Amino acid sequence: MLAKLAISTALALAVSTHAYAETPRNGGTIRFSAPYGSSFSSLDIHTSHRAQDEIYAKAIHRSLYNWDASNNQPVLELAKSVDISEDGLTYTYKLRDDAYFHHGRKMTADDIIWSFTRIMDGAKAYPGARFVRIIKGAVEVEKGQTKEISGLKKIDDHTLQITLTERVDPGFYLRTAATSIYPADEAAKESFVIKPIGLGPFKFVEHVPGSRFVAERWEKFYKPSKPYADKIVISTMGEASARDVAFRNKEIDVSILGPAQYVAYQADPELSKGILEVPEVYTRIMGMNPDFKPFTDKRVRQAINHAIDADLIIKRLNKNKAYRATSWLPLSSPAYDKSLKPYAYDPEKAKKLLADAGYSGGFEFEWTATPNESWGVPIVEAVIPMLEKVGIKAKIKPVEGSVLAGIVSKGEYQAYIWSNTSGPDPLGSLKCFHSATPQSACNYTAFKNAEVDKLLDQAGDERDPGKRIEYLKKANTIIQEEAPMWFFNYNKAVMAYQPWLKGLQPNSTELAFQNYEDLWVDETSPAAK
């Protein structure tokens, strides 16, 4: 007997809502902004590690699942229904028969099989492989042992069977832009990376590197009457000051706020009326390369955690637009352990740990960082004097946001500082610390711990939700104790929006990721026509 799927997993998050009672208006242009860099790294979203790129991808692409921000859970997107086998391993999807790619052809099961197989090309190290890896036979393709994923079976053009390696909710894995479904007949062409074709509500028009991405309404989008807007323009604005000026001049409809703008907008009588806050599932950390000799010793890594006054930095530099991190899983995770305490700021203990590890005289290291004000060079500059007090000297290696992911995924660093997704599924997030997960996927510090592996494997096999959570909490605690990272903070995302923009979703997985088909502008927008 097959059991009908009912996705019930939800995160208990206290998020703001941005519901609208008005009747959505058709027409106009949505003027979005991409705040995490001065450019997009690639128009082939399968190749990108960056949240920046998923901002444009949400306009032109779609994955098998999507994220329901209102209920904080994954939902079917490219399938109308799914049946699950009694053992919880085989999912049979009835795919949409009204999903058209932007070149006019209907999506079929072949396109999903082709896309997932492409993502598992081990020679390319696609970021989405970490998600597709849950499908039986995907790892064998990644290793070059076979060319077909055995867990993917086409029943007919609009029926697809997926067999998993463990009992997990595939919605948490197959919902990101990294697993977008491409048209098999077009995606292999060289022209695809210049003019991408997807299933999203908007079709590609132009990309001006370092400036903007433009897409227009796709008339055959499968959701009736959507999208509402005629066009979307996404401006790349990595500098907070540039976004601030553009927003105040009414040139963009939204702006992700950094710490300084957060304080300023809260204090402004008018701007404070258009602020959306969400506790995101992102953890900010300093990752340490285990191949760099001092960081091989756990005591050195723990010493760094004790040497830094993270609370002071959050208060003074982040302007309280963040929550103190204890370990990897954020407070918005269902497996967050409230009893787990963060590393105490204790320079004397840090010195003792360093001495015990043989580094009483300290050491020097290179710290790779981007200009990001919330977790980049400004944070590193504040940390350096704290480390110097315990004898550790750090030298900043500045890089652009567009290249950080490549550096980290190849292990070409001594230390780095970054903001990484740590949810919404705690098992999937902690799998980044499983020794079987490649560094190119998300095991960026090449973490290896037999007990963590065992706990994560047990969690994957466990059908009882309560017991699974306990396994994950234990793994999260060991990761804290092993300290492969300096655990800095969990992000509080804040978006400013213009009064004419309606339909924003409180997306805890990344506030900048919006379902653009649900957004609309009223007649007061400067781009209403």
Side-chain angles (χ1 to χ4, degrees), residues 431-438 443 446-450 452-453 456:
K431 278 293 184 70
C432 289
F433 295 89
H434 196 291
S435 63
T437 301
N443 190 2
F447 185 83
K448 294 180 181 179
N449 182 282
V452 169
D453 286 353
L456 295 180

Side-chain angles (χ1 to χ4, degrees), residues 35-42 45 47-56 127 177 282 400-406 418 513:
Y36 304 129
S38 59
S39 65
F40 295 120
S41 60
S42 173
I45 193 60
T47 69
S48 176
H49 293 260
R50 301 180 65 206
Q52 175 89 340
D53 295 336
E54 190 155 349
I55 294 172
Y56 83 74
Y282 273 81
E400 287 298 316
S402 60
V403 302
L404 179 63
W418 204 6
F513 299 165

Side-chain angles (χ1 to χ4, degrees), residues 286-305:
M286 164 193 163
M288 293 172 253
N289 192 329
D291 291 333
F292 179 64
K293 188 177 179 180
F295 295 152
T296 301
D297 194 308
K298 177 174 65 176
R299 292 168 295 186
V300 172
R301 304 192 299 265
Q302 291 175 332
I304 285 178
N305 275 275

Side-chain angles (χ1 to χ4, degrees), residues 198-350:
L199 293 160
F202 294 88
K203 61 182 179 180
F204 176 82
V205 173
E206 69 169 350
H207 172 224
V208 180
S211 178
R212 66 184 181 274
F213 178 95
V214 182
E216 62 185 12
R217 188 178 194 273
W218 173 230
E219 298 294 338
K220 290 186 177 182
F221 187 56
Y222 46 82
K223 295 181 181 179
S225 75
K226 294 182 180 182
Y228 300 117
D230 291 332
K231 183 185 294 185
I232 181 166
V233 177
I234 304 173
S235 300
T236 50
M237 292 185 172
E239 291 293 331
S241 57
R243 295 195 305 276
D244 180 45
V245 170
F247 188 84
R248 290 175 183 270
N249 286 340
K250 300 178 173 56
E251 296 167 357
I252 55 177
D253 295 337
V254 300
S255 177
I256 293 292
L257 300 184
Q261 281 71 38
Y262 181 47
V263 173
Y265 280 48
Q266 283 179 314
D268 188 292
E270 289 303 315
L271 295 177
S272 62
K273 296 176 182 177
I275 295 179
L276 181 62
E277 298 185 15
V278 177
E280 284 186 337
V281 285
Y282 273 81
T283 301
R284 275 78 182 272
I285 52 87
M286 164 193 163
M288 293 172 253
N289 192 329
D291 291 333
F292 179 64
K293 188 177 179 180
F295 295 152
T296 301
D297 194 308
K298 177 174 65 176
R299 292 168 295 186
V300 172
R301 304 192 299 265
Q302 291 175 332
I304 285 178
N305 275 275
H306 283 300
I308 303 171
D309 190 345
D311 288 321
L312 180 63
I313 296 173
I314 290 170
K315 180 180 179 180
R316 296 292 177 83
L317 292 185
N318 295 116
K319 308 298 183 183
N320 290 318
K321 201 188 81 65
Y323 310 93
R324 179 69 191 279
T326 55
S327 183
W328 181 250
L329 294 180
L331 56 87
S332 47
S333 172
Y336 177 74
D337 188 347
K338 294 180 181 179
S339 67
L340 195 62
K341 304 300 181 183
Y343 276 87
Y345 172 54
D346 191 339
E348 293 307 312
K349 186 171 184 178

Side-chain angles (χ1 to χ4, degrees), residues 333-391:
S333 172
Y336 177 74
D337 188 347
K338 294 180 181 179
S339 67
L340 195 62
K341 304 300 181 183
Y343 276 87
Y345 172 54
D346 191 339
E348 293 307 312
K349 186 171 184 178
K351 290 179 182 179
K352 184 179 185 307
L353 285 166
L354 288 171
D356 291 345
Y359 294 96
S360 57
F363 63 91
E364 297 182 8
F365 73 94
E366 185 178 74
W367 197 343
T368 301
T370 73
N372 190 286
E373 64 175 328
S374 296
W375 45 264
V377 169
I379 303 301
V380 174
E381 290 175 338
V383 170
I384 286 176
M386 298 178 185
L387 294 179
E388 286 182 344
K389 287 182 179 179
V390 301

